[in-house]
Each structure stands twice: as structure tokens, then as C-alpha cells.
């Protein structure tokens, strides 16, 4: 997700619709060019055009040979971390 404006839709998907979205990557703004310190919001497309004109062109041909299978996913088991309080510190309080 990009932009804080998408949060209400995310909240609805989870809380109301009960969707299991798994891992959600949330960025508070639309990439580095839209960072508040990059300049006024209305100049976003101007900054993008500057970057496009200064970057080398992207390949129009496939960059992976045909028949090569790639897996770009990962699954992580989330375990709760519950630290045990120091008994001496609790006694002191």
C-alpha cells in the first residue's frame, strides 16, 4: 500500500470483511519522490519526469531466460515475545 489515504480500505478489509491479507507493506507516501521533504506535492510529476529523463532506459526484452521459474515469496511464523520480568526489579517496585 502506498499513501495513508489507503488505510481506511485496509481497515475495512480486515475488520469488516474479515480478509486474511497476510503481510501488508505500508508506505506513508508514494515512494521517495513523494516524500514531504522532496518538495511541494504538486511538483511530484515534475520530479518523476526529471528522474525518467536521467535514468537509463529499462529493458523492453525479458531479463530472465524462458523456462526459468522463480519464487519471490516468503512466509514467516510470528511468535509472541513475552519477556519475563526480573523478579528483583518487581520486588523493588
Amino acid at each position: 500500500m502506498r499513501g495513508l489515504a489507503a488505510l481506511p480500505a485496509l481497515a475495512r478489509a480486515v475488520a469488516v470483511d474479515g480478509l486474511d491479507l497476510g503481510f501488508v507493506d505500508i508506505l506513508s507516501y508514494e515512494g521517495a519522490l513523494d516524500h514531504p521533504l522532496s518538495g511541494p506535492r504538486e511538483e511530484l510529476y515534475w520530479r518523476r519526469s526529471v528522474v525518467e529523463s536521467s535514468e537509463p532506459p529499462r529493458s523492453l526484452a525479458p531479463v530472465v531466460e524462458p523456462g526459468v521459474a522463480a519464487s519471490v515469496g516468503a512466509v514467516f511464523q510470528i511468535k509472541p515475545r513475552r519477556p519475563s520480568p526480573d523478579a528483583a526489579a518487581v520486588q523493588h517496585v
Side-chain angles (χ1 to χ4, degrees):
M1 289 181 27
R2 296 183 189 266
L4 297 177
L7 286 179
L10 174 66
R12 177 185 168 79
V14 174
V16 177
D17 300 333
L19 298 177
D20 180 8
L21 300 178
F23 180 80
V24 178
D25 188 11
I26 301 173
L27 299 174
S28 59
Y29 50 87
E30 186 68 39
L33 295 176
D34 192 29
H35 189 277
L37 295 178
S38 295
R41 176 120 176 107
E42 56 272 8
E43 293 179 0
L44 170 63
Y45 293 101
W46 173 80
R47 289 191 294 275
R48 285 182 179 175
S49 69
V50 170
V51 170
E52 286 175 3
S53 67
S54 61
E55 281 189 348
R58 309 284 170 126
S59 174
L60 296 177
V63 294
V64 179
E65 294 179 16
V68 174
S71 174
V72 293
V75 177
F76 302 95
Q77 183 178 6
I78 300 174
K79 299 178 184 177
R81 297 182 190 176
R82 300 197 176 162
S84 300
D86 179 32
V90 172
Q91 187 64 31
H92 178 73
V93 172

